Amino acid sequence: MSQTGNVTQQPGQQQQPYSQQPEYGQPAPGQYSFGQATPVLPDPKMPWSKAIAVTIAVFLVAGVVAGWAWQQFAPLAQYAVDDRGGSLGEEQMTKIFGPDGTFTAIGFLAGLVLGAAVFWWLRNYGPWAVGIVVLGSALGAGIAWGVGMLLGHDRLQPRLEASKPGDLLAAPLELHTWTPLASWLVGAALAAAIIAATTWRAEPVATSSSSAASQTSPQVH
């Protein structure tokens, strides 16, 4: 039997290096001591087909509802019919872009709410969740415009030909520019950005007093 310093070596037993032996009070490899954060396992991801199908269904229904709301609540200018045709007064001229403003407001709110819900639901997909939300919002914008035009777009010229002086004809429901369609994308992207910024957390740096103690403790040779 031979001794080296404070470590006793039994015959036929190899001495392990001191650096590989756990210190007193330090948990062995694979274990966690009280107060140390255990690794958080991410929630399992659903198949891509299900995630895309559910997103399409949500924005499809929302687009139909938004298109109906646009047709119901958009203010329309009134044409006064006379012997020369139809004309707009000064007050009615201010309502020309009423459908554009209504579509923008409805689209932004719908994109904001649905974008937040879908992005939070698909947050485990990382950056791909943003792409799914943006594509879904673009689909919702197109569906809303199509449903609104189907329900409320009546061509003005045929109605003018069938009218008589003194009648008031509502202007056809339409968008005068394609900019309102982007309100869905802006709302959805804003919701995704806010959620990503508020839920982002830097990974904590693992620190322990045992590492400092091991550096200051004398090594045994």
Side-chain angles (χ1 to χ4, degrees):
M1 181 182 301
S2 62
Q3 294 184 352
T4 303
N6 297 329
V7 179
T8 304
Q9 179 179 3
Q10 300 294 336
Q13 180 181 4
Q14 296 182 355
Q15 180 181 358
Q16 298 181 356
Y18 182 78
S19 59
Q20 297 181 358
Q21 297 178 357
E23 299 179 2
Y24 178 76
Q26 185 178 1
Q31 299 180 354
Y32 295 91
S33 62
F34 179 78
Q36 290 184 345
T38 57
V40 179
L41 298 178
D43 297 334
K45 296 180 180 179
M46 68 181 65
W48 273 104
S49 57
K50 182 179 179 180
I52 296 177
V54 172
T55 302
I56 291 176
V58 169
F59 280 98
L60 180 63
V61 174
V64 173
V65 175
W68 173 84
W70 178 44
Q71 185 269 334
Q72 289 291 322
F73 301 107
L76 299 177
Q78 299 288 330
Y79 283 87
V81 181
D82 52 22
D83 296 335
R84 295 174 298 178
S87 60
L88 291 173
E90 295 182 0
E91 181 181 355
Q92 298 300 320
M93 288 289 292
T94 60
K95 298 181 180 180
I96 285 294
F97 294 97
D100 297 70
T102 304
F103 189 94
T104 301
I106 295 175
F108 180 79
L109 291 178
L112 187 69
V113 174
L114 295 180
V118 175
F119 181 79
W120 178 262
W121 180 52
L122 300 177
R123 62 189 183 277
N124 289 334
Y125 284 91
W128 293 104
V130 180
I132 297 177
V133 169
V134 170
L135 291 178
S137 61
L139 174 64
I143 294 297
W145 174 78
V147 171
M149 293 290 288
L150 182 63
L151 296 177
H153 181 73
D154 294 331
R155 296 182 59 186
L156 182 61
Q157 187 61 35
R159 290 184 290 148
L160 282 175
E161 295 175 355
S163 63
K164 57 184 179 180
D167 291 344
L168 294 177
L169 299 179
L173 180 70
E174 59 186 357
L175 294 178
H176 299 85
T177 176
W178 293 103
T179 306
L181 292 172
S183 61
W184 284 73
L185 282 75
V186 173
L190 180 61
I194 292 175
I195 293 177
T198 54
T199 58
W200 178 85
R201 293 176 299 179
E203 296 183 358
V205 179
T207 57
S208 61
S209 58
S210 60
S211 60
S214 62
Q215 294 178 1
T216 57
S217 60
Q219 298 182 356
V220 179
H221 300 284

